Amino acid sequence: MLIPHDTRIALDTVVDLVNTAPESEPPPDDPVDGPVDGLADVAALYAFAERHLISGVGTLGEKDLAAVRDVRARFAEVFAAPDPRTAADLVNRLVAAAGTTPQLTDHDGYDWHVHYFAPDASIADHLAADCGMALAFIIVAGEQERLRRCEAPDCGHAFVDLSRNRSRRYCSSRTCGNRLHVAAYRARRKEAAG
């Protein structure tokens, strides 16, 4: 599946955004603490924008934080959509609400690419438009099943399965996948020894 560079960046951004939600956190070792919201405050929102090189952010406040959390929840619904029609409806509503204004741009050392958000858009509209269009690209390609949640029982992070044969099961083969494979190996060894 050939994915343009800007679409890939937007897919990485939407996955990271969805995974900031407390419900996507693995259960804590100490049940008193509970899940942590990766967008707990405005400072975390600034850090998210910086990490993903989101341009034109300006001054952010509590209103922006609430709007981005709402967009995050709606993106989570896209990852949970049971079929392409449902996913498409969710994406259409997100993109329409953002007031998309597609325009070609070449900034910050990147070659020509499309921005779907209006100039001076809020960070929530920026994310809804660009990330929504990246998800639309996946749906249009008939690849909605690539929008997945980690199968590790203690994880649940979102990811986009870009493997050739759509066989990826874990958000990270180095963490969740490896941890489950080691646990299964140890269980087999214990059973064989017992």
Side-chain angles (χ1 to χ4, degrees):
M1 175 177 199
L2 182 61
I3 300 176
H5 178 72
D6 55 322
T7 301
R8 179 59 193 258
I9 288 172
L11 288 171
D12 291 344
T13 302
V14 73
V15 164
D16 192 30
L17 178 62
V18 169
N19 289 337
T20 65
E23 61 271 8
S24 71
E25 284 291 309
D29 293 333
D30 178 5
V32 175
D33 291 339
V36 176
D37 189 334
L39 293 177
D41 54 29
V42 174
L45 181 57
Y46 273 115
F48 179 87
E50 186 176 314
R51 187 168 61 249
H52 290 283
L53 305 174
I54 299 173
S55 58
V57 170
T59 303
L60 299 174
E62 292 295 327
K63 182 178 174 185
D64 296 297
L65 181 61
V68 169
R69 285 178 177 162
D70 179 58
V71 167
R72 173 180 70 184
R74 292 190 285 152
F75 279 137
E77 291 176 16
V78 175
F79 276 83
D83 55 70
R85 184 164 304 285
T86 304
D89 182 52
L90 292 165
V91 169
N92 283 340
R93 284 188 272 148
L94 263 166
V95 171
T100 58
T101 308
Q103 55 186 315
L104 288 168
T105 183
D106 66 339
H107 61 88
D108 299 327
Y110 292 106
D111 207 355
W112 288 105
H113 59 281
V114 179
H115 279 186
Y116 294 97
F117 55 92
D120 300 322
S122 70
I123 188 169
D125 286 346
H126 179 133
L127 291 167
D130 268 6
C131 295
M133 290 306 296
L135 293 174
F137 176 86
I138 296 294
I139 296 165
V140 166
E143 303 285 354
Q144 187 248 342
E145 74 275 359
R146 290 183 182 271
L147 305 177
R148 297 198 174 157
R149 291 287 187 161
C150 184
E151 292 181 19
D154 60 345
C155 185
H157 276 168
F159 68 94
V160 179
D161 178 4
L162 297 178
S163 66
R164 190 173 275 186
N165 62 357
R166 297 176 196 87
S167 62
R168 189 169 154 200
R169 298 175 50 208
Y170 307 110
C171 63
S172 170
S173 60
R174 284 183 280 186
T175 55
C176 289
N178 190 45
R179 186 170 32 83
L180 290 174
H181 292 303
V182 168
Y185 171 77
R186 288 180 180 160
R188 286 191 305 273
R189 295 273 309 216
K190 185 177 180 179
E191 186 177 305

